[in-house]
């Protein structure tokens, strides 16, 4: 070899390995594909700020407006910041939280939320979008009014602030215990200085969570020069502490130009001592960058649960942002010492499990929890044990549980499918007898229309609002409970709940082909308009007859029979996607993402496209699933067609992009659709991986031609949960033409 060529060869080798290294880093640095702005516009209602997966703290900006599109405290259309709150909701239809708000300011300000047309009306500031940086575990912005740079990061139970002041002089850091978000109102606040650089306090509030308690402890990186506590009701100022409904704290400091002040804030639902213990355990130092790096690593570790390959960059961004959104909640709700506040408002030790909150179950039982059983099996037992402890403390399984409060929001018994699904899939880290009793007891209560259902066999519209929707959701839960009864050898219970699960049939009107309200006299509500939907004054909850006719994921065969066979059933289902009509001026804004009358922006429609596969017409499922994936999601701020609903909208995308969806509410039959990705490697627990390889995939090749599972031909229309978690390879070959399924 020519010696003069050797250095060049070594350089080429180095460049080659360097290039491979960069490609490997790109492949595994998955947080780079997460865009937290997706869903922050339109009606997505997603949280924007710093958090870690399933963390209690969601630290981010809160804006002035408290309207419906600001239920998370943030909307992409708005550039006002009231302060930086430590708790937020993500993708809900009701606002709450935004507790314990910090805001650095310069000069005297009005201690109020303010109005965006009057800068002197509050302590708020404008910001510009190009000064804002948002990524998993990190948020940064420049406050124009005060010329202050703000950076935020977090751990599971603590928030970390870093404020940089370009100019010298006196500055103030406000601690706002008055302003929550949306429906939240302060009941009592307390704050005191306990050391030159430390404060602590609490905020009690009433809102969606009707009796919420949040305690905090905060450390400043330098001693406070002057401390004041203001009771905004009494216009009273104290030097050290104060208690009242509208409490603010003011920590004054002198700073040099370019100086940074950092603040660490620990939270607890139990007490200030626990809040400080959480803070000291999770952020024992002042290295902001290290905590930021830890947060990024935490997100990366969880995002690794699914590694995908696709030639479309926007698909990768949508996919990993969706996966990110599924892990903002449920939220950790216990302290480092294991204590948590229960549904009975008492303090309990979380012995043998980790306690959680923020259970949007009417939404998440459909996709988010089934997804969790695949890629977060280590968390499933904790979720179920949390629900079982809620049952013991309040006498029923959670409906929509938030911060130890039962909101009773939405309808049905949505925790039952989640508990049943875990049992049917063999999760064994909880007491099956207790779980069955919890489901049975919850199903037999007389509240929320259930007593009427036991009396009539359905819920009459003249005796209960949203009667039809409530009954149909109860039927789904009953079917799930029946499956566990059969598994446990409870034959009588199985027959009883299976019969109740068919109560949806009472509402079917064969003359119109729709489900419609039925009175206590067994007469249909007159003058049916299948397009009409009157929010909260209707037979239907956030929907209409077109949408609720298909809410029978547990008994599609029985629904087909009501239509008189497959041919009229398919004709009606086809018409769902093309029917045009007005929902009416009083319709719920949740009914969004319409394709005809199919409403992807709301959960009752989420299984509907997969019904075709269940009745032997998978090619129609492929067409509709691809249409939804490509038109109802985008990599833009308005990239969700409806509320994120605490991960449900995103979970639908993840499962459907992988190529399947769990249609039945429990048990783990994942029905095939039309995969969007080229390859996916799922970490399914126990050190096993399940690899999905999709051949010949493209925008045109949307139809599955054949499937191989672990090298063998596979012909079922669904994939079982057991087959997925066993690991191995699923090979799917795609083509441009529908496969003959006869």
């Amino acid at each position: 070899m020519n010696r003069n060529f050797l250095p060049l060869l070594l350089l080429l080798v180095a460049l080659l390995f360097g290039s491979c290294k960069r490609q490997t880093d790109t492949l595994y640095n998955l947080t780079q594909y997460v865009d937290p702005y997706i869903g922050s516009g339109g009606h997505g209602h997603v949280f924007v700020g710093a958090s870690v997966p399933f963390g209690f703290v969601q630290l981010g900006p809160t804006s002035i407006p408290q309207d419906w599109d600001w239920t998370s405290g943030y909307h992409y259309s708005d550039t006002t910041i009231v302060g930086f709150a430590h708790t937020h909701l993500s993708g809900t239809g009701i606002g709450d939280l935004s507790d314990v708000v910090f805001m650095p300011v310069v000069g005297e300000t009005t201690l109020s939320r303010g109005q965006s047309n009057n800068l002197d009306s509050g302590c708020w500031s404008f910001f510009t979008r190009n000064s804002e940086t948002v990524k998993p575990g990190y948020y940064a912005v420049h406050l124009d009014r005060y010329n202050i740079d703000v950076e935020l990061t977090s751990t599971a139970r603590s928030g970390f602030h870093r404020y940089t002041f370009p100019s010298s002089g006196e500055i103030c850091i406000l601690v706002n215990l008055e302003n929550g978000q949306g429906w939240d109102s302060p009941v009592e606040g307390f704050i005191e200085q306990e050391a030159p650089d430390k404060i602590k306090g609490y905020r009690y509030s009433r809102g969606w969570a009707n009796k919420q308690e949040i305690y905090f402890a905060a450390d400043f990186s330098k001693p406070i020069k002057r401390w004041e506590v203001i009771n905004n009701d009494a216009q009273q100022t104290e030097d050290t502490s104060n208690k009242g409904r509208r409490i603010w704290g003011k920590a004054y400091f002198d700073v040099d130009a370019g100086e940074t002040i950092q603040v660490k804030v620990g939270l607890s639902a139990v007490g200030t001592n626990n809040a400080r213990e959480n803070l000291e355990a999770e952020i024992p130092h002042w290295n902001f960058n290290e905590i930021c790096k830890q947060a990024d690593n935490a997100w990366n570790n969880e995002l690794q649960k699914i590694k995908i390959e696709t030639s479309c960059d926007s698909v990768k961004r949508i996919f990993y942002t969706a996966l990110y959104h599924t892990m903002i909640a449920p939220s950790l709700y216990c302290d480092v010492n294991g204590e948590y506040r229960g549904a009975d408002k008492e303090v309990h030790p979380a012995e043998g499990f980790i306690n959680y909150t923020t259970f949007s179950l009417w939404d998440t039982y459909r996709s988010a929890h089934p997804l969790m059983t695949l890629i977060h099996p280590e968390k499933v037992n904790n979720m179920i044990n949390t629900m079982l402890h809620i049952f013991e403390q309040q006498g029923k399984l959670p409906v929509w549980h938030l911060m130890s409060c039962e909101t009773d929001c939405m309808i049905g018994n949505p925790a039952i499918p989640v508990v049943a699904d875990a049992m049917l899939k063999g999760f064994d880290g909880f007491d099956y007898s207790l779980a069955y009793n919890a489901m049975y007891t919850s199903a037999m209560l007389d509240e929320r229309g259930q007593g009427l259902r036991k009396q009539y066999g359905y819920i009459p519209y003249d005796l209960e609002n949203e009667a039809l929707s409530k009954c149909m959701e109860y039927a789904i839960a009953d079917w799930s409970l029946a499956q566990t009864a059969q598994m446990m050898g409870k034959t009588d219970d199985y027959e009883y709940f299976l019969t109740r699960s068919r109560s949806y049939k009472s509402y079917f009107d064969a003359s119109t082909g729709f489900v419609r309200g039925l009175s206590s006299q067994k007469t249909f509500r007159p003058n049916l308009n299948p397009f009409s939907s009157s929010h909260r004054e209707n037979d239907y909850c956030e929907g209409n007859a077109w949408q609720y006719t298909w809410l029978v994921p547990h008994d599609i065969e029985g629904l087909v029979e009501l239509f008189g066979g497959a041919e009229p059933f398919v004709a009606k289902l086809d018409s769902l996607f093309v029917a045009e009509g007005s929902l009416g001026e009083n319709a719920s804004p949740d009914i969004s993402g319409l394709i005809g009358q199919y409403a992807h922006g709301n959960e009752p429609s989420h299984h509907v496209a997969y019904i075709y596969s269940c009745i032997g017409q998978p090619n129609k499922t492929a067409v509709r699933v691809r249409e939804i994936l490509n038109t109802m999601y985008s990599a833009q701020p308005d990239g969700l067609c409806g509320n994120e609903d605490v991960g449900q909208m995103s979970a639908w995308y993840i499962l459907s992009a992988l190529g399947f969806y769990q249609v039945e509410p429990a048990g783990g039959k994942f029905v095939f659709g039309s995969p969007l990705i080229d390859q996916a490697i799922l970490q399914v627990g126990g050190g096993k991986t399940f690899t999905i390889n999709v051949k010949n995939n493209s925008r045109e090749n949307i139809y599955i031609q054949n499937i191989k599972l672990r090298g063998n031909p596979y012909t079922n229309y669904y994939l079982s949960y057991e087959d997925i978690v066993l690991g191995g390879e699923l090979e799917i070959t795609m083509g441009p033409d529908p496969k003959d399924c006869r």
Side-chain angles (χ1 to χ4, degrees):
M1 179 181 292
N2 189 323
R3 292 183 181 181
N4 294 329
F5 182 69
L6 184 59
L8 178 60
L9 178 61
L10 293 174
L11 177 61
L12 289 172
V13 171
L15 288 173
L16 176 62
F17 275 91
S19 174
C20 292
K21 178 63 163 61
R22 284 193 295 274
Q23 291 174 6
T24 301
D25 289 345
T26 299
L27 179 63
Y28 292 105
N29 177 21
L30 298 179
T31 54
Q32 68 178 307
Y33 300 114
V34 175
D35 181 357
Y37 283 134
I38 295 175
S40 67
H43 303 311
H45 299 186
V46 301
F47 162 68
V48 174
S51 65
V52 296
F54 305 102
F56 180 44
V57 167
Q58 289 97 35
L59 175 57
T62 295
S63 303
I64 289 177
Q66 300 187 79
D67 298 330
W68 188 64
D69 277 329
W70 277 258
T71 53
S72 72
Y74 183 101
H75 194 267
Y76 192 79
S77 65
D78 185 54
T79 55
T80 65
I81 292 178
V82 172
F84 303 96
H86 290 78
T87 61
H88 289 85
L89 292 170
S90 186
T92 60
I94 298 179
D96 206 329
L97 305 187
S98 290
D99 299 291
V100 189
V101 182
F102 279 60
M103 182 67 166
V105 302
V106 176
E108 290 303 313
T109 60
T110 302
L111 301 184
S112 170
R113 191 178 202 92
Q115 297 86 40
S116 57
N117 60 356
N118 182 356
L119 196 62
D120 295 327
S121 63
C123 59
W124 63 276
S125 172
F126 280 121
F127 71 96
T128 58
R129 194 69 61 195
N130 60 12
S131 78
E132 192 178 43
T133 301
V134 189
K135 56 186 180 180
Y138 178 80
Y139 177 88
V141 72
H142 181 78
L143 300 177
D144 293 347
R145 177 179 178 180
Y146 304 114
N147 191 27
I148 298 171
D149 290 319
V150 174
E151 296 174 276
L152 309 173
T153 189
S154 77
T155 61
R157 302 170 181 87
S158 302
F160 205 163
H161 308 237
R162 182 161 68 184
Y163 308 141
T164 302
F165 304 91
S167 302
S168 62
E170 184 180 71
I171 64 92
C172 180
I173 298 176
L174 302 178
V175 184
N176 174 2
L177 302 185
E178 176 182 351
N179 284 302
Q181 172 62 21
W183 288 255
D184 173 274
S185 298
V187 172
E188 180 178 294
F190 172 77
I191 190 170
E192 69 174 343
Q193 182 179 9
E194 56 177 342
D197 59 348
K198 301 181 189 301
I199 62 172
K200 66 180 180 181
Y202 60 78
R203 181 177 191 266
Y204 301 160
S205 62
R206 181 183 297 115
W208 197 10
N210 59 14
K211 190 178 180 183
Q212 182 190 337
E213 300 181 25
I214 293 289
Y215 299 86
F216 71 94
D219 291 357
F220 298 88
S221 59
K222 66 184 293 184
I224 300 168
K225 183 183 85 169
R226 187 170 80 257
W227 170 253
E228 295 176 356
V229 184
I230 296 89
N231 184 332
N232 242 357
D233 276 332
Q235 297 301 309
Q236 177 185 2
T237 300
E238 300 290 344
D239 292 337
T240 57
S241 67
N242 208 329
K243 181 188 296 185
R245 191 174 67 90
R246 300 166 60 209
I247 296 295
W248 293 67
K250 301 176 77 173
Y252 291 92
F253 302 86
D254 288 328
V255 297
D256 297 326
E259 185 175 349
T260 292
I261 292 180
Q262 299 186 128
V263 190
K264 302 184 295 186
V265 184
L267 293 192
S268 169
V270 172
T272 55
N273 289 339
N274 279 28
R276 182 156 299 286
E277 187 177 356
N278 291 340
L279 177 59
E280 292 174 351
E282 294 183 347
I283 314 180
H285 52 71
W286 288 101
N287 191 334
F288 181 93
N289 292 341
E290 178 61 28
I291 298 301
C292 189
K293 180 180 177 182
Q294 289 178 15
D296 182 76
N297 288 341
W299 281 112
N300 249 321
N301 288 338
E302 292 296 337
L303 294 172
Q304 306 290 327
K305 298 288 184 68
I306 308 179
K307 298 174 187 174
I308 67 166
E309 290 295 334
T310 172
S311 59
C312 182
D313 181 66
S314 65
V315 168
K316 187 169 284 190
R317 287 177 60 206
I318 297 168
F319 186 95
Y320 281 111
T321 304
L323 190 54
Y324 165 80
H325 280 146
T326 66
M327 295 187 284
I328 292 176
S331 307
L332 190 71
Y333 196 61
C334 61
D335 296 326
V336 292
N337 64 8
E339 292 180 338
Y340 71 96
R341 189 168 299 278
D344 56 3
K345 308 306 176 187
E346 300 297 323
V347 176
H348 299 270
E351 296 177 346
F353 78 106
I354 298 172
N355 195 66
Y356 286 85
T357 188
T358 319
F359 287 107
S360 180
L361 291 164
W362 183 79
D363 308 294
T364 58
Y365 85 78
R366 307 168 202 264
S367 299
H369 281 282
L371 175 64
M372 186 176 291
T373 65
L374 293 178
I375 63 172
H376 304 298
E378 74 285 354
K379 289 183 169 57
V380 172
N381 289 326
N382 290 322
M383 300 292 171
I384 303 302
N385 276 310
T386 296
M387 295 181 194
L388 298 184
H389 281 82
I390 290 172
F391 163 72
E392 292 180 314
Q393 293 155 13
Q394 70 176 23
K396 66 180 181 182
L397 285 168
V399 179
W400 210 125
H401 226 258
L402 177 63
M403 301 294 178
S404 78
C405 299
E406 182 54 76
T407 71
D408 273 326
C409 187
M410 303 312 295
I411 58 175
N413 268 320
I416 289 178
V418 178
V419 176
D421 194 42
M423 293 175 68
L424 295 170
K425 288 175 178 175
F427 287 90
D428 58 2
F430 55 92
D431 185 331
Y432 273 33
S433 295
L434 174 61
Y436 187 82
N437 182 43
M439 291 188 290
Y440 182 94
T441 301
S442 300
M444 295 302 290
L445 294 174
D446 288 339
E447 63 169 21
R448 298 184 299 124
Q450 292 191 96
L452 292 171
R453 186 162 175 259
K454 287 192 288 185
Q455 179 181 350
Y456 290 91
Y458 61 95
I459 304 177
Y461 75 78
D462 52 331
L463 301 178
E464 183 81 14
N465 190 38
E466 298 180 334
L468 180 149
S469 294
K470 290 177 179 177
C471 185
M472 293 188 77
E473 286 286 355
Y474 286 136
I476 292 170
D478 284 344
W479 180 88
S480 304
L481 177 51
Q483 307 314 302
T484 60
Q486 183 181 47
M487 181 184 73
M488 298 179 72
K490 298 179 182 292
T491 304
D492 291 344
D493 286 358
Y494 168 71
E495 295 294 342
Y496 173 74
F497 287 110
L498 189 64
T499 298
R500 283 203 342 185
S501 76
R502 296 169 181 148
S503 60
Y504 72 90
K505 295 183 177 183
S506 300
Y507 297 107
F508 187 77
D509 176 10
S511 68
T512 63
F514 292 106
V515 291
R516 59 192 298 189
L518 192 65
S519 75
S520 56
Q521 302 303 312
K522 295 191 176 181
T523 58
F524 287 119
R525 185 188 287 272
N527 304 318
L528 173 69
N529 178 352
F531 296 94
S532 176
S533 176
S534 178
H535 194 36
R536 301 190 184 284
E537 295 179 2
N538 202 348
D539 297 321
Y540 313 99
C541 173
E542 298 183 0
N544 62 18
W546 272 108
Q547 291 137 24
Y548 269 92
T549 294
W550 313 102
L551 189 61
V552 193
H554 59 291
D555 188 21
I556 293 171
E557 183 178 342
L559 186 60
V560 171
E561 290 175 356
L562 290 179
F563 276 92
E567 186 173 344
F569 177 86
V570 171
K572 188 75 170 188
L573 185 55
D574 288 345
S575 67
L576 170 71
F577 292 94
V578 296
E580 297 292 341
S582 172
L583 299 172
E585 62 180 16
N586 296 318
S588 167
D590 295 279
I591 308 172
S592 58
L594 292 173
I595 302 175
Q597 286 298 295
Y598 171 86
H600 192 70
N602 216 23
E603 281 64 31
S605 291
H606 276 191
H607 69 288
V608 173
Y610 288 89
I611 290 177
Y612 288 114
S613 287
C614 298
I615 59 173
Q617 297 198 14
N619 298 322
K620 290 188 175 182
T621 288
V623 171
R624 293 305 179 187
V625 167
R626 280 294 182 103
E627 181 180 9
I628 297 164
L629 285 167
N630 290 327
T631 64
M632 296 296 158
Y633 298 84
S634 76
Q636 301 301 318
D638 63 349
L640 294 173
C641 65
N643 295 347
E644 167 60 17
D645 281 320
V646 197
Q648 170 61 24
M649 285 287 289
S650 289
W652 189 97
Y653 184 92
I654 292 164
L655 289 171
S656 295
L658 295 176
F660 43 64
Y661 185 84
Q662 181 172 303
V663 174
E664 290 180 351
K669 288 183 179 178
F670 290 87
V671 176
F672 288 113
S674 179
L676 198 60
I677 49 83
D678 298 325
Q679 183 188 71
I681 302 174
L682 283 67
Q683 303 292 329
V684 292
K688 297 177 182 177
T689 60
F690 184 73
T691 300
I692 303 168
N693 282 314
V694 185
K695 299 170 64 176
N696 303 329
N697 203 12
S698 69
R699 272 191 173 268
E700 295 75 28
N701 294 357
I702 68 172
Y703 301 103
I704 294 176
Q705 304 298 301
N706 60 70
I707 301 172
K708 291 183 180 179
L709 178 62
R710 289 183 281 275
N712 298 313
Y714 191 85
T715 57
N716 280 351
Y717 71 92
Y718 67 88
L719 194 63
S720 73
Y721 170 78
E722 290 78 13
D723 273 331
I724 296 173
V725 298
L726 183 62
E729 181 189 18
L730 179 74
E731 182 182 278
I732 302 175
T733 301
M734 308 297 290
D737 299 314
K739 184 181 179 183
D740 187 352
C741 298
R742 290 173 297 176

